[in-house]
């Protein structure tokens, strides 16, 4: 591709494709596309604070899944802090360590310094994340590291409000981070004397809103009585009160407690990614479409497939994912679904006498991209298992591709609103 040809490509397409497309050779790099898709997912960053043995691990497992630590990249920042990054889920967790009742003041002081250094120094935190994610994101991508929320865990069966918890609350308040007090190992009564004491003391420290949520992360037997797990939905709902709509949706996607909530959040996020692809495709001035002379449109739709996969937590390493993705990418080149789909789509688009050539091609490219994206979302929705909270692809690749074709045809028989 000559410089003149490159300069003629709309900036929207260049920005959307990024490094996944080699404009000089007209080639698409699937690995870069997948890495960028997961790297650019909206992330929810939570600090899980509290003393050892308070039930932090049980809480994390209950909210985000039993394999959360195994699926992440963990690294101790200091003796007091550990960070776990789960790119697949768009989740970053900070976990406080070693805050015991005895001699806690020195630990708290060090923790305070560590928090300030890592959360207030963008350069330091970017460097830390760059080193940590160099194997996950291409080109040592840097991510601004800012906490969205703190869950401070306090054992609801304690007899008194510990000085270490008070100090933690003061630190969090000083950093101006939203906080939810989680009363762990709750028996279901949130009006006992200890809980009321904590609420009273916390409200003296924090002038802004703070939520208090009793939680029992796992079912347990207490003196012959089974106490069921409860409070996770309340914790999620109360946390979302402090978050923007986008961050709240990121939390909905990351959690693995409510399957319907997770699926709806994944679909919403994937639909937004489709809109980005539609805008990029809509700037096309290529004609005819489809055809081998439309590599940019094929690349845009291919990248969109990987963006949708990322929102549904589906990687190319998943069972049967590679043949499915390969088959879909063949279709996104529009060689197979091609002319009949375009013909049907064009019938739904009013074309006045002043709309000719490239404009029609751009509108058509956008319409087809939108249809491809939403059809693929419907396919993944049908393969979402509410019990495992995962998209599970079948052994038969053809069954998925045929289902995709059916949904795609349905999409192109509906009015296209661009």
């Amino acid at each position: 591709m000559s410089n003149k040809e490159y300069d003629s490509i709309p900036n929207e397409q260049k920005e959307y494709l990024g490094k996944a497309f080699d404009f000089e050779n007209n080639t698409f790099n699937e690995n870069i596309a997948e890495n960028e898709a997961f790297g650019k997912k909206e992330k929810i960053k939570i600090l899980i604070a509290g003393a050892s043995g308070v039930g932090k691990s049980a809480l994390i497992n209950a909210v985000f899944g039993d394999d959360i630590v195994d699926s992440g990249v963990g690294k101790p920042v200091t003796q007091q802090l550990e960070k776990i990054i789960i790119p697949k889920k768009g989740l970053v967790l900070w976990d406080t360590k070693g805050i015991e009742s005895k001699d806690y003041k020195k630990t708290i002081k060090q923790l305070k310094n560590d928090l300030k250094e890592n959360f207030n120094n963008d350069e330091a935190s970017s460097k830390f994340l760059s080193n940590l994610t160099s194997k996950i994101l291409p080109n040592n991508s840097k991510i601004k590291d800012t906490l969205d929320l703190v869950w401070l865990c306090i054992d609801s069966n304690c007899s008194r409000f510990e000085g270490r918890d008070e100090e933690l609350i003061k630190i969090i308040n000083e950093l101006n981070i939203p906080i939810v007090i989680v009363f762990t190992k709750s028996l279901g009564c949130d009006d006992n004397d200890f809980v009321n004491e904590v609420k009273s003391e916390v409200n003296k420290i924090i002038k802004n809103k703070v939520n208090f949520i009793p939680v029992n992360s796992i079912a347990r037997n207490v003196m012959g009585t089974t106490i069921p797990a409860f409070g996770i939905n309340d914790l999620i709902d109360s946390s979302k009160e402090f978050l923007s709509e986008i961050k709240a949706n990121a939390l909905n996607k990351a959690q693995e407690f409510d399957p319907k909530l997770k699926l709806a959040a994944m679909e919403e996020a994937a639909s937004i990614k489709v809109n980005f692809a539609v805008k990029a495709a809509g700037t096309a001035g290529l004609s005819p479409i489809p055809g081998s002379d439309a590599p940019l449109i094929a690349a845009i739709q291919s990248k969109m497939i990987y963006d949708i996969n990322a929102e549904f937590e589906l990687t190319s390493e998943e069972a049967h994912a590679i043949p499915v993705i390969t088959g879909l990418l063949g279709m996104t080149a529009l060689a197979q679904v091609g002319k009949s789909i375009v013909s049907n789509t064009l019938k739904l688009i009013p074309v006045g006498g002043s709309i000719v050539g490239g404009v029609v091609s751009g509108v058509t490219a956008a319409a087809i991209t939108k249809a491809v994206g939403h059809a693929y979302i419907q396919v993944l929705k049908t393969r979402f298992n509410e019990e495992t909270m995962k998209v599970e692809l079948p052994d038969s690749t053809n069954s998925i591709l045929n289902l995709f074709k059916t949904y795609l045809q349905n999409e192109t028989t509906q009015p296209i609103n661009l």
Side-chain angles (χ1 to χ4, degrees):
M1 178 180 293
S2 66
N3 290 336
K4 184 177 181 180
E5 289 173 325
Y6 179 79
D7 292 339
S8 67
I9 298 173
N11 288 331
E12 289 86 351
Q13 294 189 10
K14 296 175 185 175
E15 292 174 1
Y16 180 77
L17 290 171
K19 295 183 179 180
F21 188 73
D22 184 338
F23 289 90
E24 182 176 352
N25 298 309
N26 283 340
T27 56
F28 181 77
N29 189 308
E30 292 87 354
N31 291 331
I32 292 178
E34 181 171 64
N35 287 338
E36 287 188 346
F38 280 101
K40 292 180 179 179
K41 283 186 67 170
E42 185 65 43
K43 293 172 178 58
I44 182 74
K45 306 181 183 80
I46 304 175
L47 172 68
I48 314 291
S52 299
V54 76
K56 290 179 293 180
S57 296
L59 179 69
I60 291 173
N61 291 338
V63 178
F64 299 114
D66 291 338
D67 61 346
I68 189 69
V69 175
D70 293 337
S71 65
V73 180
K75 180 177 182 178
V77 181
T78 67
Q79 186 178 354
Q80 284 72 46
L81 277 177
E82 182 180 13
K83 169 173 276 188
I84 302 172
I85 299 178
I86 304 92
K88 187 174 180 179
K89 298 178 71 66
L91 182 64
V92 180
L93 297 178
W94 289 82
D95 185 12
T96 58
K97 299 287 183 180
I99 306 176
E100 311 301 341
S101 296
K102 182 179 180 181
D103 300 326
Y104 72 84
K105 287 187 177 296
K106 182 179 179 180
T107 303
I108 288 287
K109 182 179 179 180
Q110 183 62 51
L111 175 62
K112 179 178 180 179
N113 293 334
D114 295 338
L115 287 171
K116 284 189 173 182
E117 178 181 354
N118 283 281
F119 301 151
N120 292 346
N121 187 333
D122 286 341
E123 181 179 354
S125 41
S126 291
K127 181 178 180 181
F128 168 75
L129 273 178
S130 176
N131 293 334
L132 186 60
T133 61
S134 59
K135 295 183 179 180
I136 302 171
L137 305 179
N139 303 314
N140 292 326
S141 300
K142 294 182 179 181
I143 308 171
K144 184 178 180 181
D145 190 39
T146 305
L147 272 178
D148 299 306
L149 194 65
V150 173
W151 289 346
L152 174 59
C153 299
I154 298 177
D155 190 333
S156 63
N157 300 300
C158 288
S159 58
R160 64 187 181 88
F161 186 38
E162 297 281 358
R164 64 191 177 198
D165 294 324
E166 181 178 354
E167 290 296 326
L168 276 171
I169 291 171
K170 288 179 179 179
I171 292 173
I172 296 165
N173 187 52
E174 185 179 336
L175 293 171
N176 199 29
I177 305 169
I179 182 172
V180 177
I181 306 294
V182 185
F183 292 107
T184 57
K185 305 177 185 179
S186 174
L187 299 178
C189 301
D190 61 353
D191 58 349
N192 61 55
D193 291 341
F194 171 68
V195 169
N196 287 331
E197 176 193 354
V198 172
K199 290 180 179 180
S200 176
E201 293 300 320
V202 170
N203 285 322
K204 293 177 183 177
I205 300 170
I206 300 179
K207 301 304 178 183
N208 298 325
K209 182 180 179 180
V210 55
N211 286 338
F212 302 90
I213 303 296
V215 169
N216 184 39
S217 300
I218 55 176
R220 54 201 176 99
N221 187 286
V222 179
M223 298 181 67
T225 300
T226 299
I227 307 298
F230 67 86
I232 302 301
N233 272 338
D234 292 336
L235 174 59
I236 293 171
D237 288 340
S238 66
S239 298
K240 290 190 293 188
E241 293 179 16
F242 299 108
L243 304 173
S244 67
E245 183 177 349
I246 293 177
K247 288 290 185 180
N249 199 55
L251 178 58
N252 288 340
K253 285 188 297 176
Q255 61 85 26
E256 294 203 5
F257 186 80
D258 186 333
K260 289 182 171 55
L261 185 65
K262 184 180 183 70
L263 181 59
M266 292 193 298
E267 180 180 11
E268 180 180 340
S271 296
I272 293 174
K273 294 301 176 69
V274 171
N275 291 339
F276 291 152
V278 168
K279 290 180 180 179
T283 63
L286 303 174
S287 180
I289 296 178
S292 60
D293 56 344
L296 289 176
I297 304 303
I300 288 171
Q301 293 177 358
S302 297
K303 185 175 185 300
M304 177 180 67
I305 294 296
Y306 282 101
D307 285 343
I308 293 172
N309 282 346
E311 297 305 333
F312 277 85
E313 300 181 4
L314 183 65
T315 71
S316 58
E317 296 177 355
E318 306 288 339
H320 315 298
I322 292 179
V324 168
I325 294 172
T326 301
L328 287 169
L329 295 186
M331 291 185 181
T332 63
L334 305 179
Q336 298 179 41
V337 297
K339 294 181 180 179
S340 62
I341 297 297
V342 172
S343 176
N344 290 336
T345 303
L346 282 174
K347 292 176 183 178
L348 301 171
I349 302 174
V351 182
S354 61
I355 303 179
V356 294
V359 175
V360 173
S361 295
V363 172
T364 303
I368 297 171
T369 301
K370 182 177 181 180
V372 168
H374 286 293
Y376 186 49
I377 289 174
Q378 292 304 312
V379 169
L380 295 186
K381 284 178 63 180
T382 65
R383 300 305 309 178
F384 180 74
N385 186 325
E386 291 193 356
E387 292 185 3
T388 63
M389 307 279 275
K390 300 181 187 301
V391 172
E392 298 178 353
L393 299 177
D395 294 337
S396 173
T397 301
N398 287 336
S399 66
I400 286 292
L401 298 182
N402 289 333
L403 184 60
F404 172 73
K405 291 178 184 178
T406 299
Y407 282 127
L408 182 61
Q409 188 62 54
N410 291 340
E411 289 288 335
T412 56
T413 60
Q414 301 299 318
I416 306 293
N417 299 314
L418 299 175

